[in-house]
Every structure is written in C-alpha cells, then in structure tokens.
Amino acid sequence: MKIRLQEDVLKDQNLAAAFNRETFKKNHTLVINLMSSPGAGKTTLLEETIKALRNEFHIAVIEGDLATDLDAERLRSLGVKTVQINTVGGCHLDARMIAKTLPDFELDTIDILFIENIGNLVCPSGYDLGQDYKVVVLSVPEGNDKIPKYPVMFRRTDVTVINKIDLLPYVSFDLEEAQINLEEINPQAQLKALSAKTGEGMEEWINWIKDAYRQCTKP
C-alpha cells in the first residue's frame, strides 16, 4: 500500500507539472524556478532583476515561504503581481500548489513568471513545477563545499548563480573551484557570478533571461 500511495502522489505531481507546462507554453510565458538555501539572496536578486526587466517585460512572481508574506510584499512594492504560497512547514513547492495559483494570474499578459521556491538545498530540486528553467542561487558566504555536498540540487539545475561576490575579499570562496565542482557534477549547467547588491555581473544574468525568453517564445 505504501508503494501504491507513493506512485499515486508522483502521478498527481507529474500530471500537474504537465498541465502547468502546457498552460505556460500556450500563453508564451517563460517560467524560472529559483531555488537556494535561506539567506542566499533570492529575493534581492529578484528585486534587482525585476527593476532591470520591467520596462521591457510584464513580470509576475509566485512567492514560496513557510510563513509570512514579507518577501512577497517587497516584490509587490515594485508593482509586480505576486501570489504568496505558505507551506506551513513544507520544505518545497510542488506542481499542484503552482496550478492552484494560476487562476490568480492573467497569464496571456505575463512574459516572465518567477517562482521563488522555499529556502532549502535538498527538497525543491526533486520537484518539477512545469518550469522552463531551474536556477539555484549560492552565496559566497556559504562556502565552496555546498556544490559537492548537495550534488542533486546542482545536477538538476540549468544555471547556478553565485551571489554576493562583493564579499569575496572577506570570505573563503574560490570561484574557479566552484566552476570546476559544477562542471564535474553538471557539465551542461551555466555559472553566473554576480552581486545583486552592487550590480556587478548582473548584466550577464539579465542577458541570459532575455535570451531564455526569446527561446521560450519561438514559434
């Protein structure tokens, strides 16, 4: 019975992910699932990304947190439609949660939808939300050991963003080592080193999103 339950749950997840993906595709909406450990700077990165893109694209956000809507309010203050999901202890978002929020959006008017996942380097990596790309954010104070210690997360993502590079002079973090570790785990993944706070490296990240949007909306 336990095996059947697991199979049923996975089946429901896969069906919801397929539904989400088809819905996003039909509306030509690029969807980026943003993951990280707590405090890596996802919300700050989103804020600065939105500021850089909002004159060119219509943007919306699904904000995942265990509790509160503090991060959602930060994003709403930028004039961006943001729907909050509180998991009340759950360590990840899943496709069914995402599907339930879709009626709250006018997807045919949204070019880019960011999903800010729960702060966790383990659970979120295993769940397909129907997104186009998975992106993981790693901040330099967390240390070089996070990529080899959490290989499943970095193996399943399309882009690794190394954030807070303005702190490199003050912490023991080696960008070259991070690149080597990432290539060993996921040779296809891209690495973007930046500081959302100072803006260093943000241009490359923004250009990647613009290119991803063009690829997503190709006929």
Side-chain angles (χ1 to χ4, degrees), residues 57-70:
F57 300 94
H58 290 99
I59 300 170
V61 179
I62 296 174
E63 177 64 43
D65 283 299
L66 274 71
T68 81
D69 63 349
L70 296 175

Side-chain angles (χ1 to χ4, degrees), residues 34-168:
L34 200 60
M35 300 172 286
S36 79
S37 61
K42 290 194 304 299
T43 307
T44 300
L45 178 61
L46 263 182
E47 287 175 318
E48 298 309 314
T49 301
I50 289 166
K51 291 175 186 176
L53 294 171
R54 62 185 173 184
N55 292 332
E56 188 174 347
F57 300 94
H58 290 99
I59 300 170
V61 179
I62 296 174
E63 177 64 43
D65 283 299
L66 274 71
T68 81
D69 63 349
L70 296 175
D71 291 343
E73 285 302 314
R74 288 169 59 181
L75 300 172
R76 289 172 185 146
S77 72
L78 298 175
V80 171
K81 171 74 173 181
T82 304
V83 173
Q84 178 72 54
I85 297 177
N86 288 130
T87 62
V88 194
C91 63
H92 62 272
L93 298 178
D94 65 40
R96 293 173 299 179
M97 296 176 188
I98 301 302
K100 289 178 181 178
T101 70
L102 298 187
D104 294 326
F105 295 100
E106 296 179 7
L107 282 174
D108 59 340
T109 68
I110 296 172
D111 299 314
I112 304 173
L113 174 65
F114 291 100
I115 301 172
E116 184 173 358
N117 219 311
I118 307 298
N120 189 306
L121 280 180
V122 181
C123 304
S125 65
Y127 288 82
D128 179 9
L129 306 182
Q131 73 285 309
D132 294 292
Y133 296 96
K134 288 182 177 181
V135 175
V136 59
V137 181
L138 174 66
S139 64
V140 299
E142 295 174 76
N144 279 98
D145 62 342
K146 295 304 179 291
I147 295 176
K149 284 178 69 175
Y150 296 90
V152 175
M153 169 62 79
F154 293 92
R155 185 178 297 122
R156 291 176 173 172
T157 49
D158 303 289
V159 178
T160 293
V161 173
I162 306 296
N163 190 23
K164 305 185 184 181
I165 61 171
D166 52 303
L167 299 180
L168 282 172

